[in-house]
Amino acid sequence: MAANPFTYTKAVVCGIPASLPATALRMEETDEPVDLGKARQQHEDYLQVLTELVGEVHVIPTDERYPDCVFVEDPVVVCGDTALITIPGHESRRGETVAMKEAMEKIGLKIVEMLDPGRMDGGDVLFTGKEFFVGQSQRTNKHGLQQLAAAFPNFPVTGIPVREGLHLKSFLSMATPNHIAMGSSSAALDAKQLIETEGKFKYSYRYLQVPDDIGANCLYINGTIVHANNETFPKSCKVFEKFVDADVKAKIALSASEVNKVDGCFTCCSVLIN
């Protein structure tokens, strides 16, 4: 593995299917419609940024049978040269692992497949470069956590209960190699406390707290932070704009407003490979 675990050379993405607006999973039923055209334009903007930052982007063909297939983070966890193919927590998403496994094999990664009764969505897995924090949510169970620990034995693994929201990364993400971006909800604050008290690495992380939970979801790629723009989360955007750190060379603000409506965010829509 490279010295900096946030130096990426490849990314994997999948397009947005026409089936997403009507049938993608939602934590809560709302009348707020997803604008498919706008969602696809936002995804194109996202893809363009990934291409600029990483260079090599592999695109998995969109599959209308799986309305959530754009959220490629969930069927796999990649660390170094190993890809753990998960068993997603919701049964309707488990078919997505077939195309993901093929993509990981083409890239040349070592494949480890999760076994029943393990369940895991990659959105519950926060890798800090030093250790894993894994959300124990409706989608990820203790068996999944144990199998992740076995797949990546060089890194400590700590479970974090997720009492609100879909995934752990619905309110936490890495903003730099040393900063965890976090929302301001009770769930985010509880997770922070557990990271500080239960983390096996006993590393003193710094925190970048923003007003909005989903606004805390960002990508740190090769020295650049990709974060929510002023259109979607203006207060959180302002925090990122003012943030200064030696590990941050640039910032890019994007909108993911349409996938936000179906519980998606920036980290959900790509698999980054070191």
Side-chain angles (χ1 to χ4, degrees):
M1 181 179 293
N4 181 355
F6 300 99
T7 300
Y8 301 107
T9 58
K10 299 177 179 66
V12 176
V13 301
C14 180
I16 295 180
S19 55
L20 180 141
T23 54
L25 299 172
R26 296 191 188 212
M27 283 284 288
E28 297 179 2
E29 290 298 326
T30 70
D31 294 328
E32 191 171 20
V34 174
D35 183 325
L36 180 61
K38 187 175 181 180
R40 286 176 167 168
Q41 182 57 59
Q42 290 174 349
H43 192 264
E44 281 296 319
D45 295 341
Y46 179 88
L47 179 58
Q48 182 177 345
V49 167
L50 284 181
T51 303
E52 292 172 357
L53 296 179
V54 177
E56 185 177 333
V57 178
H58 298 253
V59 181
I60 295 175
T62 303
D63 193 330
E64 294 293 341
R65 296 175 298 171
Y66 304 112
D68 294 276
C69 63
V70 64
F71 304 128
V72 290
E73 178 183 50
D74 291 323
V76 68
V77 176
V78 174
C79 184
D81 63 355
T82 300
L84 172 65
I85 306 299
T86 70
I87 302 176
H90 198 283
E91 186 174 1
S92 68
R93 301 200 58 194
R94 293 175 192 162
E96 297 171 33
T97 60
V98 176
M100 181 56 70
K101 180 182 176 183
E102 292 175 354
M104 296 295 107
E105 289 174 336
K106 288 179 181 177
I107 290 170
L109 298 185
K110 173 187 174 183
I111 304 297
V112 177
E113 295 190 67
M114 187 166 282
L115 302 174
D116 197 59
R119 298 288 183 270
M120 177 171 286
D121 279 9
D124 274 319
V125 180
L126 180 69
F127 180 58
T128 70
K130 305 166 185 68
E131 59 190 320
F132 287 98
F133 292 104
V134 180
Q136 304 294 270
S137 68
Q138 296 179 30
R139 302 289 178 84
T140 299
N141 63 19
K142 66 178 182 180
H143 303 288
L145 184 150
Q146 291 165 353
Q147 292 186 46
L148 181 137
F152 305 110
N154 294 330
F155 298 100
V157 178
T158 302
I160 303 290
V162 176
R163 299 183 181 91
E164 297 176 24
L166 180 60
H167 294 133
L168 182 65
K169 283 192 281 193
S170 297
F171 45 78
L172 294 180
S173 64
M174 296 307 296
T176 79
N178 301 304
H179 285 85
I180 298 176
M182 60 174 288
S184 297
S185 67
S186 60
L189 295 172
D190 288 348
K192 175 189 175 185
Q193 182 177 13
L194 288 171
I195 286 172
E196 292 176 339
T197 58
E198 303 298 325
K200 297 179 178 62
F201 195 84
K202 300 304 178 187
Y203 182 82
S204 296
Y205 297 101
R206 288 175 280 173
Y207 295 88
L208 180 64
Q209 187 171 357
V210 301
D212 312 286
D213 276 9
I214 293 298
N217 185 272
C218 65
L219 293 170
Y220 178 75
I221 305 174
N222 301 342
T224 295
I225 298 179
V226 180
H227 62 85
N229 68 6
N230 193 59
E231 172 196 344
T232 47
F233 296 103
K235 293 180 180 178
S236 294
C237 179
K238 185 174 293 185
V239 174
F240 278 105
E241 289 175 341
K242 292 181 177 179
F243 176 59
V244 177
D245 187 81
D247 289 316
V248 179
K249 310 305 180 187
K251 301 171 191 173
I252 299 174
L254 290 176
S255 174
S257 64
E258 299 312 296
V259 295
N260 290 161
K261 296 173 182 177
V262 288
D263 306 311
C265 46
F266 290 126
T267 61
C268 301
C269 295
S270 59
V271 178
L272 300 173
I273 299 171
N274 181 307

